[in-house]
Amino acid sequence: MLAVAKCLLALFLAIASAETDAGSGKDFLAYDFLYNEGIKMYLEENWTGCVKNIELALKGWHWWNDNTASCRKNCSHEAKEKNLLATHTDEEDKYFEHILHSTLCLIKCKKEAFGAQRDRVVESNIIAEFKEMKPYDYLQLCYYRLERVNDAANAAATVLAVQPDNEVMAENMRYYLEEGGISTEDVVNLEMKPYGQEYVKATMAYKENNFDLTITHMERSLKMFLDEYQNCRYLCESPFDQGWFPDFVSSVANHFTFTLRCKRKCLWQLSDLFGEIDDNFLPSYFDYLQYSYFQKGETRKACEAVATFLHLNPNDEVQNRNKEFYDSVDEVTQDMYVPRKEVVALKEREDYEQQLMAFIETNFAFLTDELWHEDDTTEAKQVGESENSTTTSTTAELDTSSVILGTAEVINEELTQNLLINTHIKIAALSFQPKSEISKEVPSFRSRVVSQLKSLSELGVKAVKGEWEKDKQDRLVADGLTSTLECMVLTELIRFGAVEGDGYKGSYSPHTNAEAFQGISLGRAGLMVHAGLIDKAALELILRVTDRCRDYIERHFHLSQQLYFAYTHLVCRTAKPEMNHNRSALDLSHEVHADNCILQNSGECLRVPPAYTYRDYSAILYLNDDFEGGEFIFTQDMSGLTYESSVNPQCGRLVGFSSGPENSHGVLPVRKGTRCSIGMWFTHDRKHNEVERSIASLFLKQLNAKQI
């Protein structure tokens, strides 16, 4: 397997090299391919291969972004210079002809820049990880293993610049500094943009009262900052999957809003040099400049800098006092207070776009942060979701040898979280078998259902009658899907290996602040097996139990089409005692929602992105009952105050239902204790088959065959 992967990599690099020589692909590097290869090398403890591939991946990422931004920028300018046919028609015709000229230019530019790779699509989660500096999370450990301690410190600093609250990385940084005898002044952020580097030089010169050098570096940094701001906006003009089929005008409006939301983030994203957003970063240029110019006797430029600062922040007390001072200087006249035109233009654009977004969010309720793609690098979340596949960020542990040799009893939760880094990237690297081989592992739908009939009967699985069945053919409650021992093992597995807020981008309480939320995906479970933290039997148990639930649902509802897993999530919700005394009845453990559409207050359910429109059936398998509250409810009332029926969780009880608005549902507050379950979502569409599940199955097969 490893030999095949190495051959593929060598072949790929040879092709890339040939394209370079031919002039079509230039310096093209498929950074996603190289990134996954680097992670695979990391898992195999091939530290040299890890560094080589991830460094190449980072180079390719920068190269791709630079060329993309350049093409979009140049084509926008080129199109403005074109002589239009629509000289005597309305502005709409002129606009769309301009778009056509830009499109033609983009096609040519991308063909020249990217060659045969111009249509390559990189998965959104990979793009997100590069923006979050995840490659440096791997590099810091791989560098350390190669005794490149200074490089490890630099990589750790790069992660901390984006994740300043990453305690494990901070601890690793302290270790690197002590181990290598490195001074903090010698540690650099490897991803600091050129404008940031110039800004730091300017501030250092300012501290030394070298105002000539301060002006030189600050003006250079300002120009670079404004260029980077424009590049950031051009990179926002990325592909957007509508996921439905709107009218022409609606389609344009959707894509425009998608790019606008991304562009609205550029200014504050670029205002983060040291791991914290500085709301006054752009104005700070003119604070340094006004004083430096004044010290050099260039009063007009000092006044221009004060005016520019106040144009951005008119209520700043210090700069208003500075203006009063300059007013007292004899040579100063009011015509000197003219803000820089490029900053005025930027401010006007930002103000207009802020008003435009307010209009959109006021008049289009489905375009809120919770319901819309935030940018092209992150998965959008449906209100009330409990199983997004994006896991929270944790960090590669500095030394895993003691962890792997230890026992579950002595490994605390923090250490576990430190070891297990992002699920997607690690799981994706566990195997490079083609999809066709994975699909061969899946038996035919009919034969699989028949083979499960006997085993389900032997378990004593039986449907439970109740009020949820009234006039409903698409709901079920069944008991006996797991044994008491299986429930205990699965519950302890979640409590041991789960991450707080798993799947919710670091939010520890994604549904209510009155409860702590912990989750574990199949990917994370696979990583724990790979690291030696749990026995492979635990992962086999998860697959076996969830397969059993899927099989029962297919059989109970007499489905003629196979169900594929879309996502599997093991979760626990724990009541916070200090929050119970004033908890509102409206503060549900899980708000009312539907699983494949966006539920509206009017009762309408929009089956449009970012809803998981491909879901057909959903299920929850309960693992315990030693808690208070937490009943599952079917309801048409979005508040959850009234409901059609409720289900009391207990070990082995399965709730299954079709995923549409006919089965809107929620969870009542967990008042005391911890409620654990397994959420499962199914689809008839094979292309949405859960990748982590396929890889976990293949991983187990390779383990059993002693191939890894």
Side-chain angles (χ1 to χ4, degrees), residues 608-629:
V608 298
Y612 296 94
T613 57
Y614 50 84
R615 290 180 181 158
D616 296 297
Y617 284 87
S618 307
I620 303 97
L621 175 68
Y622 297 108
L623 302 176
N624 67 322
D625 61 0
D626 54 339
F627 57 91
E628 293 179 10

Side-chain angles (χ1 to χ4, degrees), residues 510-628:
H511 304 297
T512 168
N513 290 326
E515 296 174 20
F517 183 94
Q518 292 180 299
I520 181 171
S521 66
L522 283 176
R524 186 167 295 279
L527 287 179
M528 293 173 71
V529 175
H530 188 277
L533 294 173
I534 60 174
D535 191 270
K536 64 183 178 66
L539 181 56
E540 290 171 338
L541 175 61
I542 299 172
L543 295 176
R544 184 169 64 252
V545 166
T546 52
D547 276 340
R548 187 185 301 157
C549 295
R550 187 265 313 271
D551 296 335
Y552 185 81
I553 288 172
E554 285 178 340
R555 183 177 148 203
H556 181 91
F557 290 126
H558 306 289
L559 300 181
S560 59
Q561 288 180 277
Q562 178 171 345
L563 286 181
Y564 298 93
F565 281 88
Y567 193 70
T568 308
H569 200 200
L570 290 76
V571 296
C572 285
R573 307 161 189 270
T574 303
K576 298 178 181 178
E578 70 276 12
M579 302 288 287
N580 263 336
H581 67 281
N582 61 352
R583 187 171 182 182
S584 166
L586 293 173
D587 185 17
L588 299 182
S589 176
H590 197 144
E591 57 270 33
V592 173
H593 64 286
D595 283 340
N596 66 12
C597 57
I598 304 169
L599 200 58
Q600 307 292 295
N601 287 322
S602 64
E604 182 183 9
C605 206
L606 303 177
R607 198 164 183 178
V608 298
Y612 296 94
T613 57
Y614 50 84
R615 290 180 181 158
D616 296 297
Y617 284 87
S618 307
I620 303 97
L621 175 68
Y622 297 108
L623 302 176
N624 67 322
D625 61 0
D626 54 339
F627 57 91
E628 293 179 10

Side-chain angles (χ1 to χ4, degrees), residues 206 209-212 214-215 219 285-306 319 321-332 336-337 340:
Y206 183 86
N209 294 324
N210 187 337
F211 299 111
D212 282 326
T214 300
I215 291 169
E219 292 284 13
Y285 279 100
F286 303 100
D287 187 17
Y288 283 109
L289 286 172
Q290 63 87 16
Y291 187 77
S292 298
Y293 276 126
F294 177 75
Q295 292 296 321
K296 297 300 296 178
E298 298 188 51
T299 309
R300 177 176 290 275
K301 289 186 176 181
C303 290
E304 176 193 60
V306 169
Q319 293 306 321
R321 288 199 300 270
N322 286 345
K323 185 177 184 301
E324 291 176 4
F325 169 78
Y326 287 122
D327 286 341
S328 67
V329 177
D330 291 338
E331 64 185 280
V332 171
M336 292 182 178
Y337 294 110
R340 298 194 182 187

Side-chain angles (χ1 to χ4, degrees), residues 42 47 137 140-145 149 152 156 168-169 171-176 179 395-403 415 418-419:
Y42 165 84
W47 313 119
D137 201 333
Q140 55 95 19
L141 179 59
C142 295
Y143 282 141
Y144 173 72
R145 294 294 192 177
V149 182
V168 176
M169 191 59 67
E171 184 63 32
N172 285 357
M173 170 65 84
R174 286 190 287 271
Y175 179 85
Y176 294 144
E179 176 81 1
T395 307
E397 179 67 4
L398 186 63
D399 186 356
T400 61
S401 58
S402 61
V403 178
L415 197 57
N418 295 347
L419 174 67

